[in-house]
Amino acid sequence: MAQTKALYEAGRYAEAEAEARAVARSRPRDDAYAAVALNFAALATGAQGRHAEALATYDEALPAFSRIFGVGHWLTLKLRSDRAQQLTSLGRYAECEAECAALARAASRGTDPQMSLLTTAARNGLVFALNAQGRHQEAEAFAREALANHCAPDRLSLVLQLGLARSLNGQARHEEALSEAQGADKLYRALPEHQRPGYGSRRTGACQIPVGAGPKSRSPSPGYSGSRRLPGLLRPGP
């Protein structure tokens, strides 16, 4: 899968998808490599904007991940986290909310070091889904709780802070929202380029963590690209 991963990370999503699907077809259905190949195929399909197809591919991969790794394994939960992004891209925010809430509960019970990251990423997805449904007070509460428990100055903190800013803006608390957004902008500028949301032209959303399963978050708030986004984020509105 090294070639598929390299193609994906280079932004060559159509080639990565084709390579991953070819690997999946060439191996037994319950083979671990076939399952991982389907995961990459789903990621690459979603990166091309074909979210319904990506969701279907995740749904194909999930039973295999559950059988091979176990329903509570962090790799299986990560797959569900990636799948939740496609729900938001399809406007299925209530489903995303329910899935991210379930993921947060499951990950919080785990002991693997990855579980803490998954818990925070799932809470971020919950914030995103609640904001999208106009439930800004609930989103604010979850964002503040998640930020209190995740103190690292990383991309996950950035998107949580943006989620908090959106929740405040949705409550017409514009000065507070501006303050949070300015803090997020400062953090964005301080992050290395490869840690910034959207790096490599990949749209980020929901409760996602990075490909390759390293201890970094590839996360969850679409299309933030620096201070030029702030006026649109914070414009007064209902």
Side-chain angles (χ1 to χ4, degrees):
M1 295 305 300
Q3 174 68 10
T4 303
K5 186 174 183 288
L7 289 168
Y8 182 87
E9 292 182 343
R12 296 162 63 179
Y13 302 127
E15 295 171 74
E17 179 193 355
E19 176 82 10
R21 292 191 186 280
V23 171
R25 287 193 299 268
S26 71
R27 303 188 72 92
R29 191 171 185 83
D30 282 342
D31 179 83
Y33 281 102
V36 172
L38 280 175
N39 185 21
F40 270 106
L43 286 165
T45 302
Q48 296 172 77
R50 290 163 31 224
H51 303 297
E53 291 177 62
L55 184 63
T57 305
Y58 281 120
D59 287 342
E60 183 181 355
L62 184 55
F65 267 71
S66 299
R67 286 193 298 270
I68 294 165
F69 303 110
V71 295
H73 193 279
W74 72 267
L75 282 171
T76 304
L77 298 182
K78 178 194 176 296
L79 182 80
R80 289 174 58 188
S81 174
D82 292 342
R83 178 184 177 276
Q85 180 186 352
Q86 304 308 313
L87 294 173
T88 66
S89 297
L90 294 167
R92 293 161 60 174
Y93 302 120
E95 291 175 71
C96 178
E97 176 195 349
E99 178 67 342
C100 287
L103 279 168
R105 289 192 298 271
S108 68
R109 294 192 293 267
T111 57
D112 190 283
Q114 294 290 340
M115 291 299 196
S116 176
L117 177 64
L118 275 163
T119 300
T120 305
R123 287 173 178 159
N124 178 69
L126 193 55
V127 171
F128 185 88
L130 290 168
N131 272 328
Q133 295 174 82
R135 291 158 57 192
H136 301 298
Q137 288 183 321
E138 293 172 76
E140 178 191 356
F142 278 109
R144 290 193 186 281
E145 179 184 3
L147 282 165
N149 290 313
H150 184 80
C151 300
D154 57 12
R155 106 177 71 199
L156 189 48
S157 290
L158 168 62
V159 293
L160 281 166
Q161 198 165 8
L162 282 170
L164 176 57
R166 290 190 180 100
S167 72
L168 294 167
N169 191 58
Q171 298 174 67
R173 292 158 61 185
H174 303 306
E175 292 299 321
E176 294 174 75
L178 180 60
S179 177
E180 293 294 340
Q182 287 173 336
D185 188 57
K186 182 178 179 181
L187 176 55
Y188 177 89
R189 294 172 186 276
L191 288 175
E193 184 180 4
H194 70 277
Q195 291 184 22
R196 294 174 179 175
Y199 175 72
S201 301
R202 179 174 172 186
R203 186 177 183 272
T204 54
C207 47
Q208 194 167 26
I209 63 172
V211 178
K216 303 171 186 173
S217 171
R218 182 108 176 162
S219 190
S221 191
Y224 180 71
S225 55
S227 60
R228 68 182 181 274
R229 296 286 298 187
L230 296 183
L233 171 66
L234 297 176
R235 65 181 180 273

